[in-house]
Amino acid sequence: MRVIRSTAAMQRLARRCQREGRRVGFVPTMGYLHAGHLSLVHRARRAIGPKGLVVVSIYVNPTQFAPTEDLAKYPRDFARDARLCREAGVDIIFAPSDAEMYPGKSDGRYSAYVVEEKLSRGMEGASRPTHFRGVTTVVAKLFHLVLPDVAVFGAKDWQQAAIVRRMVRDLNFPLRLIVAPTVRERDGLALSSRNKLLTPGQRAQATVLSRALARARAAVKRGPLPAARLKADLARFIAREPLARLDYVECFDADTLQPAARAARGTHLALAVFAGKTRLIDNGRL
Ligand code: AMP
């Protein structure tokens, strides 16, 4: 396994792979890796085969954090990440610095961004207005540097995966996008690097996200119902946990992300909940 820190070296290697017909599978991450990330690595390996090159990027992208958010507190442990990647059969870790990724940004000379204009508006985009511009920009840049044949994203960030899929289609990125299922703790909590930031009390109550999903599934199993009624019920359910504060809960179409008026089997549900200052998200098909 090799660690690459420069954008030029990453792109040189990617172009060599392209010339030699060696397939590249890519998993973008912000590090502090867990079994969810590693499931994407294994999915990438399965997609490109034993002779392909699996690239994991580890980069906490500042442009997707608002000034008020947890960029400085975001957990980091490169040595541990490197060990996990090696054990998972990763070939390349691409871990650039901010100066490599956004040259000139510190003195105002960086000015090109990629914006998706429809799917980014609701849910995460409504709560975090500049977030997806940062995501699409960094993912587009990473795709240009890594030149993947296959890129693997997690269903845990459903809206993000839908937006990247749209960007790939609308901007003609020559790659196949795979969305892999959410990996969870035994008690249902979706794995997330941010879980590390929870106090024991918050951690115990954080299962309220997956419990809300289970409650919504049980509700639609009894029959379709107005989305507003389901959302109000879930808001009350979450309010019972003193350490949890609901940011949003939404029912929507899994592909278009358009809000659904009725919740039924097959409708998608997503929610974001604050536990203290830590913001957790989850989603699933009802
Ligand atoms: P992050 O490091 O949080 O930016 O996540 C990097 C990639 O891992 C994204 O595609 C996420 O959707 C995915 N991911 C994060 N958590 C999970 C999880 N629990 N299960 C599956 N994929 C995940």
Side-chain angles (χ1 to χ4, degrees):
M1 188 180 77
R2 197 176 138 197
V3 178
I4 297 182
R5 303 244 176 219
S6 100
T7 51
M10 184 66 243
Q11 206 168 41
R12 258 197 319 272
L13 174 65
R15 295 181 75 159
R16 197 170 76 222
C17 285
Q18 219 167 39
R19 276 197 309 275
E20 294 171 356
R22 190 170 180 197
R23 284 164 64 72
V24 174
F26 179 40
V27 179
T29 82
M30 299 205 298
Y32 212 76
L33 303 180
H34 51 64
H37 296 117
L38 300 178
S39 75
L40 309 188
V41 168
H42 297 309
R43 186 68 192 80
R45 173 63 70 198
R46 186 146 66 82
I48 61 165
K51 293 208 177 76
L53 195 83
V54 172
V55 180
V56 170
S57 64
I58 296 180
Y59 180 57
V60 183
N61 172 39
T63 65
Q64 70 191 66
F65 288 78
T68 51
E69 291 178 349
D70 56 352
L71 173 62
K73 270 192 336 195
Y74 198 85
R76 298 159 209 247
D77 186 343
F78 186 79
R80 178 174 166 278
D81 288 348
R83 178 170 53 76
L84 290 172
C85 281
R86 191 174 294 111
E87 288 166 6
V90 169
D91 298 295
I92 304 288
I93 294 180
F94 177 49
S97 64
D98 288 342
E100 279 287 313
M101 283 301 275
Y102 294 103
K105 191 154 195 318
S106 54
D107 52 12
R109 285 183 298 106
Y110 185 93
S111 57
Y113 294 87
V114 176
V115 180
E116 191 287 325
E117 296 193 327
K118 286 210 172 85
L119 309 181
S120 317
R121 288 196 199 279
M123 297 190 281
E124 290 298 290
S127 292
R128 308 178 68 191
T130 58
H131 173 66
F132 285 124
R133 180 179 91 143
V135 169
T136 42
T137 299
V138 81
V139 171
K141 287 165 69 69
L142 290 168
F143 284 172
H144 287 312
L145 295 168
V146 175
L147 304 177
D149 297 283
V150 173
V152 188
F153 285 74
K156 155 93 187 329
D157 299 270
W158 187 268
Q159 188 178 11
Q160 167 175 282
I163 290 167
V164 171
R165 186 181 294 291
R166 179 64 59 90
M167 178 186 83
V168 163
R169 187 195 76 178
D170 287 1
L171 299 183
N172 308 94
F173 282 90
L175 59 90
R176 172 172 158 230
L177 196 102
I178 295 176
V179 180
T182 302
V183 177
R184 297 176 180 279
E185 303 279 7
R186 292 167 77 104
D187 65 3
L189 178 67
L191 296 190
S192 165
S193 309
R194 287 191 171 94
N195 294 349
K196 172 79 184 166
L197 303 172
L198 300 172
T199 65
Q202 291 167 348
R203 169 63 186 85
Q205 294 185 19
T207 56
V208 74
L209 288 95
S210 55
R211 284 186 285 121
L213 272 168
R215 186 177 173 87
R217 286 196 182 102
V220 301
K221 214 167 171 183
R222 291 191 292 271
L225 71 164
R229 197 161 89 213
L230 177 62
K231 291 192 311 189
D233 171 72
L234 295 175
R236 282 192 299 273
F237 179 70
I238 291 159
R240 286 196 224 150
E241 300 292 347
L243 302 181
R245 181 169 61 80
L246 179 65
D247 182 9
Y248 70 81
V249 55
E250 193 57 273
C251 299
F252 57 97
D253 177 87
D255 298 318
T256 66
L257 307 189
Q258 282 301 304
R262 288 184 78 66
R265 284 171 91 142
T267 307
H268 218 86
L269 186 123
L271 72 169
V273 170
F274 280 99
K277 288 192 176 138
T278 305
R279 191 167 172 284
L280 303 173
I281 59 172
D282 203 347
N283 74 86
R285 185 178 188 275
L286 299 184

